[in-house]
Amino acid sequence: MNMDYDLFMEEIKRTARAEIEGAGYEQLKTPEEVEEAFARPGTTLVMVNSVCGCAGGIARPAAANAIHYDKRPDHLVTVFAGQDKEATAAARHLFGDNHIPSSPAFVLLKDGKVVADIGRHEIEGHDPMSVVTNLQGNFEEYCEEV
């Protein structure tokens, strides 16, 4: 049995995109879309998506579940590291010099400024609920009740 690697990876990428979009996150695929989204007033949660196991098993489930909370971001967006390379680079540039590029990751913006950053080191090796708790702690501090 021979599996075509490219077909396999296309399915993985399709699934990764569908999971985060199905959770209500807007996909940003160009630098222009990133700039527009980051300029929105209020709070914006940016999920840096990836095809790695910790994205699929921890970060995307956490992204989907964390938003079921009394306080949550006004906007939910995602860039896809390794896939939408220019959009991801634009997001990382706008995150600023203190941001350590990693994927998966979460960055919470308030009026376009970074207020919280959850990198891969706080995702990989952790269970999804601890990431949900971390995200919701940031929501509690920076977001308004809905």
Side-chain angles (χ1 to χ4, degrees):
M1 182 183 209
N2 190 7
M3 181 184 295
D4 185 322
Y5 178 77
D6 290 334
L7 288 175
F8 175 72
M9 287 308 298
E10 283 304 314
E11 181 60 28
I12 296 289
K13 290 184 280 189
R14 233 183 337 270
T15 300
R17 287 186 189 277
E19 286 176 357
I20 199 69
E21 195 170 49
Y25 288 72
E26 173 190 359
Q27 292 190 55
L28 308 176
K29 296 183 178 183
T30 68
E32 295 78 20
E33 290 173 343
V34 168
E35 289 176 20
E36 181 182 306
F38 283 32
R40 294 175 186 154
T43 51
T44 301
L45 180 63
V46 183
M47 193 269 184
V48 181
N49 200 358
S50 173
V51 296
C52 73
C54 61
I58 303 167
R60 287 193 299 274
N65 287 288
I67 59 175
H68 300 287
Y69 191 67
D70 290 340
K71 293 183 177 183
R72 62 177 174 254
D74 300 311
H75 313 284
L76 305 170
V77 300
T78 183
V79 293
F80 201 149
Q83 304 307 310
D84 301 321
K85 294 176 185 178
E86 291 177 355
T88 303
R92 288 177 171 159
H93 174 75
L94 293 171
F95 292 154
D97 294 336
N98 292 329
H99 173 76
I100 299 170
S102 68
S103 58
F106 295 95
V107 176
L108 184 62
L109 308 172
K110 186 161 189 165
D111 297 324
K113 305 287 185 224
V114 174
V115 294
D117 191 340
I118 299 172
R120 182 184 180 107
H121 68 283
E122 297 177 89
I123 299 169
E124 186 176 35
H126 295 80
D127 64 275
M129 283 313 297
S130 67
V131 179
V132 167
T133 300
N134 195 351
L135 285 166
Q136 289 177 342
N138 290 322
F139 299 168
E140 186 65 35
E141 186 170 349
Y142 298 107
C143 299
E144 299 296 320
E145 195 164 332
V146 287

